[in-house]
Amino acid sequence: MAHKRVGVGVLVVLGLLVSTGRNALTQVDQPGIYLDIDEIKAIANRVRGGRNLQPDTWPGGARVAVAISFDVDNDTISIARSTSPSIGAMSQGEYGARVGLRRVVDLLDRHRIPASFFIPAVSLVLRPDMVEVIEASGRHEFGVHGWIHELNSALDAETERELVVRAMNYLEAVTGRRPVGYRAPSWNFSPNTLNIIKGLGFLYDSSLMADDRPYELMQNGDATGLVELPVEWILDDAPLMNPRGDSYTSPRELLQVYIDEFDKAYEEGTIFLLTTHPHIIGHRSRIVILEELIDHIKTKDDVWFATHEQVARYVKEQAGL
Ligand SMILES: [Zn+2]
């Protein structure tokens, strides 16, 4: 027994040493550990997924909806986030306006597929000719993606709202139509974003990730009537296609991820929503995977290709929202 007690004592001391060492190595602020249950719930419920808006069937009896979007960031992020923007990085973004966009739109129009273009207004200020390229087919939608791809989550409410209004007004002025869809730059909400977009009367948001089916956004436990068309970094080209980044994936491997995501959406009868960027996907070695993806999707005949606006209107109506 004595031997065992000594053994346990040694283990306790060793455990303390190990845990002390670990804490010293990985000391981080963890304010959440001091919250009570009500405080935890209040934080989680500020913006949360509500009612599932997946309809029983899509228009025409289609089994799956395919909503393709393009975030036309081009060089706006470089300009917004540095007092001396990198000329090299800006030129990499400019490729989107000079080459990528046209390649993307040609592909869509050849397949007669509608898409949604979320555009920081400044992208259009710098290249107003992009409006005509996108508008030519009459199929595509323009959505808000900030004024200059500002990091909305780091702004005060008044500044954030003013920039969204400025972006909306600009898009309306150059396209002749008030946008109804919002996609937060960098896909994040500040504590004020939901109030701002609700107050401005947007039909839907497409920035959050709580589901892979459309859902209603909840605010502090209350239904908002705002449709969320969820995105995912999995279904984005930006994080994985930067050859100088730390998580590079070859376009061909990414194609398989997109195909697997589509096949599962088809099997489950839900929605496949993909986001790419003209300055990234528009390169020669990458546009081919978008072509192959569309060819793959088109092997099924019960697919509804739609803009985000069309999807949002349909699910809202079906749900009686
Ligand atoms: Zn963006």
Side-chain angles (χ1 to χ4, degrees), residues 97-98 101-102 123-135:
R98 291 178 64 90
L101 182 75
R102 198 169 289 276
S123 283
L124 293 177
V125 170
L126 292 172
R127 285 297 297 257
D129 55 313
M130 292 198 302
V131 174
E132 210 177 297
V133 173
I134 294 167
E135 267 183 344

Side-chain angles (χ1 to χ4, degrees), residues 97-111:
R98 291 178 64 90
V99 182
L101 182 75
R102 198 169 289 276
R103 210 168 256 157
V104 156
V105 171
D106 282 350
L107 171 64
L108 296 169
D109 293 351
R110 207 161 58 242
H111 283 276

Side-chain angles (χ1 to χ4, degrees), residues 71-74 76-77 81 118 120 145 149 183-187 236 275 277 279:
D71 291 0
V72 192
D73 301 344
N74 296 349
T76 55
I77 298 177
R81 298 186 191 177
F118 296 94
H145 195 44
H149 211 285
R183 174 167 287 163
S186 302
W187 293 3
D236 185 343
T275 301
H277 300 71
H279 71 282

